[in-house]
Amino acid sequence: MVSPLLLIMEETSWITDYFDDIGWKFTDTSEFESFSEISDEGDNVNPVISIDFLLPDDLLERIFAYLPIASIFRAGCVCKRWNEIVNSRRLNVLSQKSWYFMFTNSDEPIGYAYDPILIKWHSLELRALRHLTGLLLLPVDWSTSWTMTVEANYLSVTLSPKTVRGIIGIILF
Amino acid sequence: MSSTKIFLKSSDDKTFEIDETAARASETLKNIIDGGCLDGVIPLPNVSSNILPKVIEYCKKHGGDNGSSKKIANGGVDKDKEILPDYDEEEDKREKVRVDELKKWEEEYMDFDQQVLYDLMLAANYLHIKGLLDLTVEKAASMIRGRTPDQIRENFNINSDFTPEEEEEMILIEDEWDDEWAFD
């Protein structure tokens, strides 16, 4: 029997903290450093043109907003600055579509993410998610900081009140 | 709108001529024109003479509409189909031809190297030319889409500045988000 846990993000959101042994969580990151600070490193930059050196944060954000989620997360692995931009709340403003995450009740820690841009499902291996029972619907503001921990037959969601706009409903069974 | 000429001066002091109608594709220029500062030349200290002709070429093509082929395709064809009860098939065909022609033009227009892409994107951003900004941003995104972080670094000449610990974490994330899709 499969009991799905469905998380609906009203706004497109970017995972900023990553899955660990006790669960998974979404948290904000602080604002990234200014372009001028990055320019100070100009001497170390290879003389060949670099997109990273030339473009200000807001243009990189625009570019990332055109990417499907898998590409966004991989772009976040390129360098510190890109990681910070990918995790910045401002990306939310530019992107237009919601994502959907679905986790099944199974011993296999596998989940699925729906990418509305490519209209495809993406499989996720979530080492931490096991023994889920329940359905959770949350419209989550990107400025949200919240954590969810999952243990055997026990689901715990910690929400920061100022960040979550409202919960549509939690159905546990 | 008559064919009033406007003069734009690049950062390296070269002057270019553009029709007022075409210049209005840029929000920034439109505001300057509407603000009545048309005496003489509009200086553009952030746009070089290498890029300005390219920008003008785009503005000439787009004059009043200020949209990419995609926008016109969505706004001009599909929506009308839903809204208008007496839908004109001939008009639809003409519209499709126009969109196809514009797409072809954009394809040729966008054929340049990375340096030009960044400069054009910066100019479009500075001059608030939405259609051109969308085009350049989308092109840059297409160079990232579907690539691994290593390929992206190589493509864009970026060095990883993560600590070894962070690097390990990044590899985990990268593996998590590989290109294997569960369903099509």
Side-chain angles (χ1 to χ4, degrees), chain A residues 15-19 41 44-52 54-56 58-59 62-64 66-71 73-83 99 101-102 112-113 115 118-127, chain B residues 70-71 113-115 117-119 121-122 125 130 133-138 140-142 144-150 152-153 155-163 166-167 169-174 176-184:
Chain A
I15 296 175
T16 62
D17 261 344
Y18 299 99
F19 310 110
E41 295 160 14
N44 304 327
V45 172
N46 195 312
V48 183
I49 337 134
S50 163
I51 189 175
D52 188 50
L54 283 169
L55 296 184
D58 62 328
L59 286 180
R62 270 182 190 275
I63 294 168
F64 293 156
Y66 268 92
L67 296 172
I69 47 176
S71 288
F73 282 98
R74 283 196 306 248
C77 299
V78 167
C79 63
K80 279 185 180 175
R81 182 173 171 230
W82 284 34
N83 192 278
W99 303 352
F101 293 90
M102 182 174 75
Y112 303 98
D115 180 346
L118 290 183
I119 322 176
K120 278 182 171 180
W121 287 90
H122 190 290
S123 78
L124 287 175
E125 193 189 317
L126 304 176
R127 286 173 294 282
Chain B
K70 201 176 277 176
K71 280 241 175 63
D113 62 28
Q114 273 192 39
Q115 175 69 61
L117 177 65
Y118 308 146
D119 288 344
M121 197 188 295
L122 289 165
N125 193 39
K130 178 85 169 54
L133 185 60
D134 285 348
L135 268 186
T136 48
V137 163
E138 202 167 356
S142 74
I144 297 173
R145 196 174 298 134
R147 303 243 156 86
T148 65
D150 268 340
I152 296 169
R153 282 186 208 115
N155 237 354
F156 292 108
N157 195 35
I158 298 169
N159 295 324
S160 168
D161 52 359
F162 291 116
T163 62
E166 287 169 333
E167 194 71 57
E169 196 193 347
M170 292 304 142
I171 287 165
L172 284 179
I173 295 162
E174 189 184 331
E176 198 96 68
W177 292 98
D178 64 19
D179 257 339
E180 286 173 30
W181 298 93
F183 314 103
D184 262 322

Side-chain angles (χ1 to χ4, degrees), chain A residues 12-131:
Chain A
T12 304
S13 303
W14 319 110
I15 296 175
T16 62
D17 261 344
Y18 299 99
F19 310 110
D20 58 28
D21 286 333
I22 53 151
W24 59 302
K25 56 182 183 176
F26 292 75
T27 41
D28 285 342
T29 55
S30 53
E31 290 295 308
F32 32 86
E33 55 201 68
S34 72
F35 189 54
S36 59
E37 282 174 77
I38 290 156
S39 305
D40 292 339
E41 295 160 14
D43 291 344
N44 304 327
V45 172
N46 195 312
V48 183
I49 337 134
S50 163
I51 189 175
D52 188 50
F53 183 64
L54 283 169
L55 296 184
D57 288 344
D58 62 328
L59 286 180
L60 280 174
E61 281 170 18
R62 270 182 190 275
I63 294 168
F64 293 156
Y66 268 92
L67 296 172
I69 47 176
S71 288
I72 289 170
F73 282 98
R74 283 196 306 248
C77 299
V78 167
C79 63
K80 279 185 180 175
R81 182 173 171 230
W82 284 34
N83 192 278
E84 283 164 8
I85 293 170
V86 161
N87 293 326
S88 85
R89 68 186 64 180
R90 278 188 287 173
L91 252 185
N92 172 51
V93 179
L94 295 164
S95 44
Q96 293 139 9
K97 297 198 175 178
S98 303
W99 303 352
Y100 301 88
F101 293 90
M102 182 174 75
F103 304 104
T104 56
N105 183 16
S106 133
D107 287 342
E108 298 293 315
I110 288 176
Y112 303 98
Y114 179 69
D115 180 346
I117 296 172
L118 290 183
I119 322 176
K120 278 182 171 180
W121 287 90
H122 190 290
S123 78
L124 287 175
E125 193 189 317
L126 304 176
R127 286 173 294 282
L129 288 169
R130 294 193 180 89
H131 307 293

